[in-house]
Amino acid sequence: MSNRVTITDHATGKSIDLETIEPTLGARLIDIQPLFRELGLLTYDPGFTATASCSSTITYLDGAKGELLYRGYPIEQLVEQSSFIETCFLLLCGHLPSKAELDQFSSEVLQESLLQEEMKRFFEGFRPNAHPMAIMVGVVGALSAFYHDFQDIHDPQNRKHSAKLLVAKMATIAAWSYRYANGLPFTYPRGDYNYVENFLHMMFSLPTNDYTPNPLAVRALEVIMISHADHEQNASTSTVRLAGSSEANPFASIAAGIGSLWGPAHGGANEAVIRMLEEIRASDQPLEHYIERAKDRKDRFRLMGFGHRIYKNYDPRAKILRKLCHEVVEGCKTTKETQELLELALRLEQVALEDEYFKQRKLYPNVDFYSGIIMLSIGIPLNMFTVIFAMARTVGWVSQWNEMFGDGHSKIGRPRQCYTGVEERDYLPMKQRKK
Ligand code: ACO
């Protein structure tokens, strides 16, 4: 097979041979770097639908097959056999840890999970009704002010340390944003709990009661966290890479990623799915009415939790979470309302998957369609859903950020544009402008 592609500009008659790149898995790529230099042409691809912004060895997804691999391991095997903390090690370090490596990593993460006591004042500066995502963006950005010593991004040891520090502190920041909003005292992580147990403990334990995390809730959250840990060059990860490419410190770069994740087209969809299901449940309109609205181009309503840029098949994470949803709704003492939301989601999925509009466009449930029902069932409030997504995705963000500096090809990210504004014109003094 030839490893060249010829581009001919028929306007000038000039041609150029561009090299193709063969990835380990996935579509071949054209290296277009000489294009502008040789032909004076730029490429145009809003939304990066056919543009790879980097090389990466971390995560692979095959949209046609509905396949997701972290460092080569299928997501289905990881949710069955791994733990979130082991998956963190895998994503960060590239291999499954030995027992000694895992023990050391878990212990280091635990030691880093405390926040500086002064940081409490950051939480207290927010209004109690602040969205916890707003608190998270602010507090994570503020970590820059506390950890100056680890900001030399060219030192691999420093990068590794700040990566671990971010993974560790994120659970505490997430839980404290909930505690503050609910007027509850801040809770500290415990040495005898793992990452997920500690998060639940910091969310729900009270000084007045004994609290033991429910094993089914722990298992459910482990699966949610593993399923959300990385997803190659999505909007928030690309934001982290772009922010980091200017050599901004890791805390500022991750705060930028959290901001990007918040939108309902991305991580904010898990909250939006439940709001949509609640609206449908409360409405007198039949379900088909909402399907019709989702298909109507003039209506901004979309079926939240449906569709994906890459997956043109069932999102493997949605498959995992759909199954888990049944287990959790049955196993936890789920409210009648949550059970009704699950029944509604199942009906909505069935109607959508049989509809020509959704079939033609290959729109399937994505990771956000079922995760919210699981979180509601284990007592997580709606406004914490995207916070939990951010907590889980932090390891993906820091792994990608670390890789960017480690691969020796790091360059400031600077896309080009297709300018469609007015051509050059002379400044008009005020007196000469129209009234
Ligand atoms: N409901 C109705 N129609 C949809 C939906 C949906 N959820 N998603 C896509 N479509 C339609 C579009 O209107 C478009 O139709 P057209 O070809 O007639 O113009 C076609 O399907 C292709 O959709 P695009 O918007 O071009 O696809 P894109 O890859 O840009 O967007 C996205 C992907 C943002 C996820 C989109 O499917 C969406 O908005 N889904 C709902 C929000 C959501 O669930 N987001 C979470 C994604 S997963 C994650 O980030 C964790």
PDB file of all heavy atoms in Angstrom, residues 264-267 269 273 294-295 297 301-310 312 315 317 357-358 361 363 366-368 389, ligand 1:
ATOM      1  N   PRO A 264     -23.800  21.088  28.325  1.00  0.00           N
ATOM      2  CA  PRO A 264     -24.736  19.972  28.131  1.00  0.00           C
ATOM      3  C   PRO A 264     -24.463  19.120  26.895  1.00  0.00           C
ATOM      4  O   PRO A 264     -24.943  17.997  26.825  1.00  0.00           O
ATOM      5  CB  PRO A 264     -26.104  20.655  28.036  1.00  0.00           C
ATOM      6  CG  PRO A 264     -25.818  22.080  27.712  1.00  0.00           C
ATOM      7  CD  PRO A 264     -24.469  22.400  28.264  1.00  0.00           C
ATOM      8  N   ALA A 265     -23.677  19.639  25.935  1.00  0.00           N
ATOM      9  CA  ALA A 265     -23.335  18.796  24.782  1.00  0.00           C
ATOM     10  C   ALA A 265     -22.235  17.797  25.157  1.00  0.00           C
ATOM     11  O   ALA A 265     -21.944  16.861  24.414  1.00  0.00           O
ATOM     12  CB  ALA A 265     -22.881  19.662  23.609  1.00  0.00           C
ATOM     13  N   HIS A 266     -21.598  18.011  26.315  1.00  0.00           N
ATOM     14  CA  HIS A 266     -20.482  17.143  26.746  1.00  0.00           C
ATOM     15  C   HIS A 266     -20.867  16.544  28.110  1.00  0.00           C
ATOM     16  O   HIS A 266     -21.915  15.906  28.217  1.00  0.00           O
ATOM     17  CB  HIS A 266     -19.220  18.009  26.770  1.00  0.00           C
ATOM     18  CG  HIS A 266     -17.919  17.286  26.933  1.00  0.00           C
ATOM     19  ND1 HIS A 266     -17.773  15.937  26.830  1.00  0.00           N
ATOM     20  CD2 HIS A 266     -16.661  17.764  27.211  1.00  0.00           C
ATOM     21  CE1 HIS A 266     -16.498  15.612  27.031  1.00  0.00           C
ATOM     22  NE2 HIS A 266     -15.808  16.696  27.271  1.00  0.00           N
ATOM     23  N   GLY A 267     -20.086  16.769  29.139  1.00  0.00           N
ATOM     24  CA  GLY A 267     -20.331  16.103  30.431  1.00  0.00           C
ATOM     25  C   GLY A 267     -21.583  16.563  31.146  1.00  0.00           C
ATOM     26  O   GLY A 267     -22.127  15.824  31.980  1.00  0.00           O
ATOM     27  N   ALA A 269     -24.328  16.626  30.055  1.00  0.00           N
ATOM     28  CA  ALA A 269     -25.486  15.883  29.542  1.00  0.00           C
ATOM     29  C   ALA A 269     -26.071  14.946  30.603  1.00  0.00           C
ATOM     30  O   ALA A 269     -27.270  14.671  30.573  1.00  0.00           O
ATOM     31  CB  ALA A 269     -25.101  15.095  28.298  1.00  0.00           C
ATOM     32  N   VAL A 273     -29.983  14.873  31.059  1.00  0.00           N
ATOM     33  CA  VAL A 273     -30.805  13.686  30.781  1.00  0.00           C
ATOM     34  C   VAL A 273     -31.895  13.555  31.843  1.00  0.00           C
ATOM     35  O   VAL A 273     -33.071  13.356  31.530  1.00  0.00           O
ATOM     36  CB  VAL A 273     -29.934  12.402  30.752  1.00  0.00           C
ATOM     37  CG1 VAL A 273     -30.792  11.146  30.780  1.00  0.00           C
ATOM     38  CG2 VAL A 273     -29.034  12.389  29.533  1.00  0.00           C
ATOM     39  N   ALA A 294     -37.378  16.313  19.028  1.00  0.00           N
ATOM     40  CA  ALA A 294     -35.928  16.080  18.836  1.00  0.00           C
ATOM     41  C   ALA A 294     -35.579  16.035  17.343  1.00  0.00           C
ATOM     42  O   ALA A 294     -34.470  16.396  16.944  1.00  0.00           O
ATOM     43  CB  ALA A 294     -35.515  14.784  19.516  1.00  0.00           C
ATOM     44  N   LYS A 295     -36.541  15.631  16.534  1.00  0.00           N
ATOM     45  CA  LYS A 295     -36.282  15.505  15.092  1.00  0.00           C
ATOM     46  C   LYS A 295     -36.498  16.825  14.344  1.00  0.00           C
ATOM     47  O   LYS A 295     -36.086  16.965  13.199  1.00  0.00           O
ATOM     48  CB  LYS A 295     -37.226  14.434  14.502  1.00  0.00           C
ATOM     49  CG  LYS A 295     -36.845  13.045  14.926  1.00  0.00           C
ATOM     50  CD  LYS A 295     -37.979  12.042  14.914  1.00  0.00           C
ATOM     51  CE  LYS A 295     -38.734  11.901  13.638  1.00  0.00           C
ATOM     52  NZ  LYS A 295     -39.722  10.782  13.714  1.00  0.00           N
ATOM     53  N   ARG A 297     -35.839  20.331  13.233  1.00  0.00           N
ATOM     54  CA  ARG A 297     -34.665  21.202  13.167  1.00  0.00           C
ATOM     55  C   ARG A 297     -34.919  22.589  13.737  1.00  0.00           C
ATOM     56  O   ARG A 297     -33.988  23.267  14.157  1.00  0.00           O
ATOM     57  CB  ARG A 297     -34.222  21.344  11.713  1.00  0.00           C
ATOM     58  CG  ARG A 297     -33.438  20.165  11.250  1.00  0.00           C
ATOM     59  CD  ARG A 297     -32.728  20.514  10.008  1.00  0.00           C
ATOM     60  NE  ARG A 297     -31.680  19.540   9.764  1.00  0.00           N
ATOM     61  CZ  ARG A 297     -30.677  19.755   8.965  1.00  0.00           C
ATOM     62  NH1 ARG A 297     -30.582  20.894   8.335  1.00  0.00           N
ATOM     63  NH2 ARG A 297     -29.776  18.824   8.774  1.00  0.00           N
ATOM     64  N   PHE A 301     -34.681  21.471  21.065  1.00  0.00           N
ATOM     65  CA  PHE A 301     -34.718  20.284  21.926  1.00  0.00           C
ATOM     66  C   PHE A 301     -33.987  19.112  21.248  1.00  0.00           C
ATOM     67  O   PHE A 301     -34.215  18.822  20.079  1.00  0.00           O
ATOM     68  CB  PHE A 301     -36.179  19.896  22.203  1.00  0.00           C
ATOM     69  CG  PHE A 301     -36.318  18.648  23.023  1.00  0.00           C
ATOM     70  CD1 PHE A 301     -36.219  18.688  24.411  1.00  0.00           C
ATOM     71  CD2 PHE A 301     -36.550  17.417  22.414  1.00  0.00           C
ATOM     72  CE1 PHE A 301     -36.338  17.526  25.165  1.00  0.00           C
ATOM     73  CE2 PHE A 301     -36.670  16.251  23.162  1.00  0.00           C
ATOM     74  CZ  PHE A 301     -36.569  16.321  24.546  1.00  0.00           C
ATOM     75  N   ARG A 302     -33.113  18.478  21.973  1.00  0.00           N
ATOM     76  CA  ARG A 302     -32.425  17.270  21.494  1.00  0.00           C
ATOM     77  C   ARG A 302     -32.638  16.174  22.511  1.00  0.00           C
ATOM     78  O   ARG A 302     -32.834  16.462  23.700  1.00  0.00           O
ATOM     79  CB  ARG A 302     -30.921  17.517  21.356  1.00  0.00           C
ATOM     80  CG  ARG A 302     -30.569  18.245  20.102  1.00  0.00           C
ATOM     81  CD  ARG A 302     -29.090  18.218  19.848  1.00  0.00           C
ATOM     82  NE  ARG A 302     -28.858  18.456  18.430  1.00  0.00           N
ATOM     83  CZ  ARG A 302     -27.719  18.265  17.807  1.00  0.00           C
ATOM     84  NH1 ARG A 302     -26.676  17.827  18.475  1.00  0.00           N
ATOM     85  NH2 ARG A 302     -27.605  18.485  16.527  1.00  0.00           N
ATOM     86  N   LEU A 303     -32.549  14.958  22.066  1.00  0.00           N
ATOM     87  CA  LEU A 303     -32.658  13.853  23.011  1.00  0.00           C
ATOM     88  C   LEU A 303     -31.337  13.773  23.770  1.00  0.00           C
ATOM     89  O   LEU A 303     -30.321  13.325  23.219  1.00  0.00           O
ATOM     90  CB  LEU A 303     -32.906  12.574  22.213  1.00  0.00           C
ATOM     91  CG  LEU A 303     -33.807  11.548  22.869  1.00  0.00           C
ATOM     92  CD1 LEU A 303     -35.115  12.156  23.298  1.00  0.00           C
ATOM     93  CD2 LEU A 303     -34.049  10.406  21.897  1.00  0.00           C
ATOM     94  N   MET A 304     -31.330  14.238  25.004  1.00  0.00           N
ATOM     95  CA  MET A 304     -30.076  14.271  25.764  1.00  0.00           C
ATOM     96  C   MET A 304     -29.639  12.836  26.084  1.00  0.00           C
ATOM     97  O   MET A 304     -30.480  11.973  26.349  1.00  0.00           O
ATOM     98  CB  MET A 304     -30.241  15.091  27.050  1.00  0.00           C
ATOM     99  CG  MET A 304     -30.631  16.534  26.786  1.00  0.00           C
ATOM    100  SD  MET A 304     -29.618  17.357  25.518  1.00  0.00           S
ATOM    101  CE  MET A 304     -28.065  17.558  26.355  1.00  0.00           C
ATOM    102  N   GLY A 305     -28.319  12.630  26.052  1.00  0.00           N
ATOM    103  CA  GLY A 305     -27.804  11.281  26.284  1.00  0.00           C
ATOM    104  C   GLY A 305     -27.849  10.425  25.035  1.00  0.00           C
ATOM    105  O   GLY A 305     -27.600   9.218  25.099  1.00  0.00           O
ATOM    106  N   PHE A 306     -28.163  11.053  23.906  1.00  0.00           N
ATOM    107  CA  PHE A 306     -28.181  10.336  22.630  1.00  0.00           C
ATOM    108  C   PHE A 306     -27.207  10.989  21.663  1.00  0.00           C
ATOM    109  O   PHE A 306     -27.095  12.209  21.624  1.00  0.00           O
ATOM    110  CB  PHE A 306     -29.593  10.391  22.006  1.00  0.00           C
ATOM    111  CG  PHE A 306     -30.309   9.083  22.106  1.00  0.00           C
ATOM    112  CD1 PHE A 306     -30.851   8.669  23.312  1.00  0.00           C
ATOM    113  CD2 PHE A 306     -30.435   8.252  21.000  1.00  0.00           C
ATOM    114  CE1 PHE A 306     -31.503   7.453  23.424  1.00  0.00           C
ATOM    115  CE2 PHE A 306     -31.088   7.043  21.098  1.00  0.00           C
ATOM    116  CZ  PHE A 306     -31.628   6.635  22.305  1.00  0.00           C
ATOM    117  N   GLY A 307     -26.556  10.164  20.851  1.00  0.00           N
ATOM    118  CA  GLY A 307     -25.671  10.688  19.815  1.00  0.00           C
ATOM    119  C   GLY A 307     -24.249  10.837  20.319  1.00  0.00           C
ATOM    120  O   GLY A 307     -24.003  11.010  21.524  1.00  0.00           O
ATOM    121  N   HIS A 308     -23.315  10.731  19.410  1.00  0.00           N
ATOM    122  CA  HIS A 308     -21.902  10.890  19.756  1.00  0.00           C
ATOM    123  C   HIS A 308     -21.120  11.169  18.483  1.00  0.00           C
ATOM    124  O   HIS A 308     -21.435  10.615  17.428  1.00  0.00           O
ATOM    125  CB  HIS A 308     -21.362   9.615  20.432  1.00  0.00           C
ATOM    126  CG  HIS A 308     -20.093   9.854  21.157  1.00  0.00           C
ATOM    127  ND1 HIS A 308     -18.865   9.797  20.527  1.00  0.00           N
ATOM    128  CD2 HIS A 308     -19.847  10.194  22.448  1.00  0.00           C
ATOM    129  CE1 HIS A 308     -17.927  10.069  21.410  1.00  0.00           C
ATOM    130  NE2 HIS A 308     -18.491  10.317  22.577  1.00  0.00           N
ATOM    131  N   ARG A 309     -20.132  12.026  18.589  1.00  0.00           N
ATOM    132  CA  ARG A 309     -19.318  12.350  17.417  1.00  0.00           C
ATOM    133  C   ARG A 309     -18.643  11.105  16.833  1.00  0.00           C
ATOM    134  O   ARG A 309     -18.559  10.921  15.629  1.00  0.00           O
ATOM    135  CB  ARG A 309     -18.271  13.402  17.803  1.00  0.00           C
ATOM    136  CG  ARG A 309     -17.199  13.687  16.755  1.00  0.00           C
ATOM    137  CD  ARG A 309     -17.764  14.260  15.455  1.00  0.00           C
ATOM    138  NE  ARG A 309     -18.461  15.506  15.622  1.00  0.00           N
ATOM    139  CZ  ARG A 309     -17.878  16.692  15.813  1.00  0.00           C
ATOM    140  NH1 ARG A 309     -16.567  16.782  15.842  1.00  0.00           N
ATOM    141  NH2 ARG A 309     -18.603  17.783  15.965  1.00  0.00           N
ATOM    142  N   ILE A 310     -18.139  10.233  17.669  1.00  0.00           N
ATOM    143  CA  ILE A 310     -17.359   9.094  17.168  1.00  0.00           C
ATOM    144  C   ILE A 310     -18.195   7.807  17.105  1.00  0.00           C
ATOM    145  O   ILE A 310     -18.116   7.066  16.134  1.00  0.00           O
ATOM    146  CB  ILE A 310     -16.110   8.833  18.049  1.00  0.00           C
ATOM    147  CG1 ILE A 310     -15.346  10.138  18.335  1.00  0.00           C
ATOM    148  CG2 ILE A 310     -15.189   7.791  17.418  1.00  0.00           C
ATOM    149  CD1 ILE A 310     -14.585  10.743  17.196  1.00  0.00           C
ATOM    150  N   LYS A 312     -20.844   5.475  16.188  1.00  0.00           N
ATOM    151  CA  LYS A 312     -21.977   5.325  15.281  1.00  0.00           C
ATOM    152  C   LYS A 312     -22.547   3.922  15.501  1.00  0.00           C
ATOM    153  O   LYS A 312     -23.006   3.233  14.608  1.00  0.00           O
ATOM    154  CB  LYS A 312     -21.539   5.536  13.806  1.00  0.00           C
ATOM    155  CG  LYS A 312     -20.929   6.915  13.579  1.00  0.00           C
ATOM    156  CD  LYS A 312     -21.896   8.062  13.927  1.00  0.00           C
ATOM    157  CE  LYS A 312     -21.187   9.404  14.049  1.00  0.00           C
ATOM    158  NZ  LYS A 312     -21.935  10.421  14.809  1.00  0.00           N
ATOM    159  N   ASP A 315     -22.678   3.020  22.294  1.00  0.00           N
ATOM    160  CA  ASP A 315     -21.526   3.402  23.114  1.00  0.00           C
ATOM    161  C   ASP A 315     -21.276   2.254  24.115  1.00  0.00           C
ATOM    162  O   ASP A 315     -22.178   1.893  24.879  1.00  0.00           O
ATOM    163  CB  ASP A 315     -21.910   4.712  23.836  1.00  0.00           C
ATOM    164  CG  ASP A 315     -20.837   5.273  24.758  1.00  0.00           C
ATOM    165  OD1 ASP A 315     -19.980   4.508  25.221  1.00  0.00           O
ATOM    166  OD2 ASP A 315     -20.904   6.488  25.043  1.00  0.00           O
ATOM    167  N   ARG A 317     -19.813   2.130  26.831  1.00  0.00           N
ATOM    168  CA  ARG A 317     -19.994   2.557  28.222  1.00  0.00           C
ATOM    169  C   ARG A 317     -21.487   2.581  28.567  1.00  0.00           C
ATOM    170  O   ARG A 317     -21.889   2.255  29.671  1.00  0.00           O
ATOM    171  CB  ARG A 317     -19.383   3.954  28.425  1.00  0.00           C
ATOM    172  CG  ARG A 317     -17.903   4.001  28.053  1.00  0.00           C
ATOM    173  CD  ARG A 317     -17.419   5.420  27.904  1.00  0.00           C
ATOM    174  NE  ARG A 317     -18.176   6.180  26.918  1.00  0.00           N
ATOM    175  CZ  ARG A 317     -18.079   7.481  26.721  1.00  0.00           C
ATOM    176  NH1 ARG A 317     -17.239   8.193  27.456  1.00  0.00           N
ATOM    177  NH2 ARG A 317     -18.797   8.101  25.798  1.00  0.00           N
ATOM    178  N   TYR A 357     -35.335   8.419  11.798  1.00  0.00           N
ATOM    179  CA  TYR A 357     -34.439   9.574  11.988  1.00  0.00           C
ATOM    180  C   TYR A 357     -33.186   9.140  12.764  1.00  0.00           C
ATOM    181  O   TYR A 357     -32.057   9.430  12.372  1.00  0.00           O
ATOM    182  CB  TYR A 357     -35.192  10.675  12.742  1.00  0.00           C
ATOM    183  CG  TYR A 357     -34.352  11.865  13.159  1.00  0.00           C
ATOM    184  CD1 TYR A 357     -34.318  13.022  12.391  1.00  0.00           C
ATOM    185  CD2 TYR A 357     -33.609  11.845  14.349  1.00  0.00           C
ATOM    186  CE1 TYR A 357     -33.559  14.124  12.790  1.00  0.00           C
ATOM    187  CE2 TYR A 357     -32.845  12.936  14.744  1.00  0.00           C
ATOM    188  CZ  TYR A 357     -32.829  14.073  13.964  1.00  0.00           C
ATOM    189  OH  TYR A 357     -32.073  15.149  14.362  1.00  0.00           O
ATOM    190  N   PHE A 358     -33.382   8.444  13.870  1.00  0.00           N
ATOM    191  CA  PHE A 358     -32.260   8.036  14.722  1.00  0.00           C
ATOM    192  C   PHE A 358     -31.443   6.926  14.061  1.00  0.00           C
ATOM    193  O   PHE A 358     -30.226   6.887  14.156  1.00  0.00           O
ATOM    194  CB  PHE A 358     -32.767   7.620  16.110  1.00  0.00           C
ATOM    195  CG  PHE A 358     -33.275   8.786  16.901  1.00  0.00           C
ATOM    196  CD1 PHE A 358     -34.578   9.230  16.774  1.00  0.00           C
ATOM    197  CD2 PHE A 358     -32.422   9.488  17.747  1.00  0.00           C
ATOM    198  CE1 PHE A 358     -35.042  10.333  17.485  1.00  0.00           C
ATOM    199  CE2 PHE A 358     -32.877  10.599  18.454  1.00  0.00           C
ATOM    200  CZ  PHE A 358     -34.194  11.022  18.320  1.00  0.00           C
ATOM    201  N   ARG A 361     -29.203   8.373  11.213  1.00  0.00           N
ATOM    202  CA  ARG A 361     -28.075   9.163  11.719  1.00  0.00           C
ATOM    203  C   ARG A 361     -27.208   8.375  12.688  1.00  0.00           C
ATOM    204  O   ARG A 361     -26.257   8.909  13.262  1.00  0.00           O
ATOM    205  CB  ARG A 361     -28.591  10.430  12.399  1.00  0.00           C
ATOM    206  CG  ARG A 361     -29.154  11.416  11.390  1.00  0.00           C
ATOM    207  CD  ARG A 361     -29.940  12.521  12.060  1.00  0.00           C
ATOM    208  NE  ARG A 361     -30.496  13.455  11.098  1.00  0.00           N
ATOM    209  CZ  ARG A 361     -31.531  13.198  10.297  1.00  0.00           C
ATOM    210  NH1 ARG A 361     -32.117  12.017  10.350  1.00  0.00           N
ATOM    211  NH2 ARG A 361     -31.964  14.091   9.430  1.00  0.00           N
ATOM    212  N   LEU A 363     -27.800   7.299  15.736  1.00  0.00           N
ATOM    213  CA  LEU A 363     -27.804   7.916  17.069  1.00  0.00           C
ATOM    214  C   LEU A 363     -28.196   6.860  18.101  1.00  0.00           C
ATOM    215  O   LEU A 363     -29.281   6.290  18.022  1.00  0.00           O
ATOM    216  CB  LEU A 363     -28.794   9.088  17.112  1.00  0.00           C
ATOM    217  CG  LEU A 363     -28.530  10.227  16.122  1.00  0.00           C
ATOM    218  CD1 LEU A 363     -29.696  11.210  16.086  1.00  0.00           C
ATOM    219  CD2 LEU A 363     -27.243  10.952  16.484  1.00  0.00           C
ATOM    220  N   ASN A 366     -25.606   7.368  24.709  1.00  0.00           N
ATOM    221  CA  ASN A 366     -24.196   7.516  25.069  1.00  0.00           C
ATOM    222  C   ASN A 366     -24.028   7.314  26.585  1.00  0.00           C
ATOM    223  O   ASN A 366     -25.003   7.007  27.281  1.00  0.00           O
ATOM    224  CB  ASN A 366     -23.646   8.861  24.582  1.00  0.00           C
ATOM    225  CG  ASN A 366     -24.410  10.053  25.170  1.00  0.00           C
ATOM    226  OD1 ASN A 366     -24.641  10.101  26.377  1.00  0.00           O
ATOM    227  ND2 ASN A 366     -24.816  10.982  24.318  1.00  0.00           N
ATOM    228  N   VAL A 367     -22.822   7.530  27.064  1.00  0.00           N
ATOM    229  CA  VAL A 367     -22.489   7.241  28.471  1.00  0.00           C
ATOM    230  C   VAL A 367     -23.414   7.968  29.459  1.00  0.00           C
ATOM    231  O   VAL A 367     -23.662   7.494  30.566  1.00  0.00           O
ATOM    232  CB  VAL A 367     -20.994   7.585  28.732  1.00  0.00           C
ATOM    233  CG1 VAL A 367     -20.739   9.084  28.674  1.00  0.00           C
ATOM    234  CG2 VAL A 367     -20.487   7.015  30.031  1.00  0.00           C
ATOM    235  N   ASP A 368     -23.942   9.119  29.025  1.00  0.00           N
ATOM    236  CA  ASP A 368     -24.731   9.929  29.957  1.00  0.00           C
ATOM    237  C   ASP A 368     -26.180   9.473  30.082  1.00  0.00           C
ATOM    238  O   ASP A 368     -26.894   9.947  30.960  1.00  0.00           O
ATOM    239  CB  ASP A 368     -24.711  11.396  29.501  1.00  0.00           C
ATOM    240  CG  ASP A 368     -23.316  11.984  29.584  1.00  0.00           C
ATOM    241  OD1 ASP A 368     -22.698  11.821  30.643  1.00  0.00           O
ATOM    242  OD2 ASP A 368     -22.852  12.567  28.603  1.00  0.00           O
ATOM    243  N   PHE A 389     -18.336  13.219  37.069  1.00  0.00           N
ATOM    244  CA  PHE A 389     -17.706  12.996  35.758  1.00  0.00           C
ATOM    245  C   PHE A 389     -16.309  13.648  35.756  1.00  0.00           C
ATOM    246  O   PHE A 389     -15.306  13.034  35.375  1.00  0.00           O
ATOM    247  CB  PHE A 389     -18.612  13.603  34.675  1.00  0.00           C
ATOM    248  CG  PHE A 389     -18.303  13.212  33.253  1.00  0.00           C
ATOM    249  CD1 PHE A 389     -19.311  13.238  32.292  1.00  0.00           C
ATOM    250  CD2 PHE A 389     -17.033  12.850  32.850  1.00  0.00           C
ATOM    251  CE1 PHE A 389     -19.062  12.896  30.970  1.00  0.00           C
ATOM    252  CE2 PHE A 389     -16.762  12.510  31.523  1.00  0.00           C
ATOM    253  CZ  PHE A 389     -17.771  12.548  30.582  1.00  0.00           C
TER     254      PHE A 389
HETATM  255  N1  ACO B   1     -31.193  14.379  19.333  1.00  0.00           N
HETATM  256  C1  ACO B   1     -31.681  14.653  18.100  1.00  0.00           C
HETATM  257  N2  ACO B   1     -30.910  14.763  16.994  1.00  0.00           N
HETATM  258  C2  ACO B   1     -29.592  14.599  17.150  1.00  0.00           C
HETATM  259  C3  ACO B   1     -29.016  14.308  18.394  1.00  0.00           C
HETATM  260  C4  ACO B   1     -29.866  14.194  19.516  1.00  0.00           C
HETATM  261  N3  ACO B   1     -29.359  13.922  20.728  1.00  0.00           N
HETATM  262  N4  ACO B   1     -27.680  14.211  18.251  1.00  0.00           N
HETATM  263  C5  ACO B   1     -27.423  14.412  16.965  1.00  0.00           C
HETATM  264  N5  ACO B   1     -28.571  14.660  16.293  1.00  0.00           N
HETATM  265  C6  ACO B   1     -28.714  14.869  14.842  1.00  0.00           C
HETATM  266  C7  ACO B   1     -28.265  16.269  14.445  1.00  0.00           C
HETATM  267  O1  ACO B   1     -29.345  17.185  14.493  1.00  0.00           O
HETATM  268  C8  ACO B   1     -27.754  16.041  13.051  1.00  0.00           C
HETATM  269  O2  ACO B   1     -28.861  15.928  12.202  1.00  0.00           O
HETATM  270  P1  ACO B   1     -28.751  16.438  10.645  1.00  0.00           P
HETATM  271  O3  ACO B   1     -27.779  15.514  10.000  1.00  0.00           O
HETATM  272  O4  ACO B   1     -30.139  16.333  10.129  1.00  0.00           O
HETATM  273  O5  ACO B   1     -28.260  17.855  10.701  1.00  0.00           O
HETATM  274  C9  ACO B   1     -27.120  14.651  13.136  1.00  0.00           C
HETATM  275  O6  ACO B   1     -27.817  13.983  14.188  1.00  0.00           O
HETATM  276  C10 ACO B   1     -25.620  14.680  13.466  1.00  0.00           C
HETATM  277  O7  ACO B   1     -25.476  15.401  14.654  1.00  0.00           O
HETATM  278  P2  ACO B   1     -24.304  16.460  14.950  1.00  0.00           P
HETATM  279  O8  ACO B   1     -24.810  17.474  15.896  1.00  0.00           O
HETATM  280  O9  ACO B   1     -23.718  16.918  13.642  1.00  0.00           O
HETATM  281  O10 ACO B   1     -23.276  15.505  15.632  1.00  0.00           O
HETATM  282  P3  ACO B   1     -22.047  15.947  16.479  1.00  0.00           P
HETATM  283  O11 ACO B   1     -21.049  14.869  16.367  1.00  0.00           O
HETATM  284  O12 ACO B   1     -21.590  17.321  16.102  1.00  0.00           O
HETATM  285  O13 ACO B   1     -22.617  16.065  17.979  1.00  0.00           O
HETATM  286  C11 ACO B   1     -23.336  15.454  20.144  1.00  0.00           C
HETATM  287  C12 ACO B   1     -22.495  15.056  18.918  1.00  0.00           C
HETATM  288  C13 ACO B   1     -22.936  16.863  20.609  1.00  0.00           C
HETATM  289  C14 ACO B   1     -23.011  14.488  21.265  1.00  0.00           C
HETATM  290  C15 ACO B   1     -24.839  15.406  19.779  1.00  0.00           C
HETATM  291  O14 ACO B   1     -25.181  14.093  19.389  1.00  0.00           O
HETATM  292  C16 ACO B   1     -25.733  15.877  20.937  1.00  0.00           C
HETATM  293  O15 ACO B   1     -25.954  17.076  21.092  1.00  0.00           O
HETATM  294  N6  ACO B   1     -26.240  14.930  21.780  1.00  0.00           N
HETATM  295  C17 ACO B   1     -27.038  15.307  22.914  1.00  0.00           C
HETATM  296  C18 ACO B   1     -26.145  15.777  24.047  1.00  0.00           C
HETATM  297  C19 ACO B   1     -25.370  14.642  24.674  1.00  0.00           C
HETATM  298  O16 ACO B   1     -25.908  13.590  25.011  1.00  0.00           O
HETATM  299  N7  ACO B   1     -24.065  14.889  24.890  1.00  0.00           N
HETATM  300  C20 ACO B   1     -23.176  13.922  25.527  1.00  0.00           C
HETATM  301  C21 ACO B   1     -22.224  13.341  24.553  1.00  0.00           C
HETATM  302  S1  ACO B   1     -21.188  12.118  25.308  1.00  0.00           S
HETATM  303  C22 ACO B   1     -20.101  13.018  26.208  1.00  0.00           C
HETATM  304  O17 ACO B   1     -19.657  14.084  25.866  1.00  0.00           O
HETATM  305  C23 ACO B   1     -19.718  12.504  27.492  1.00  0.00           C
END
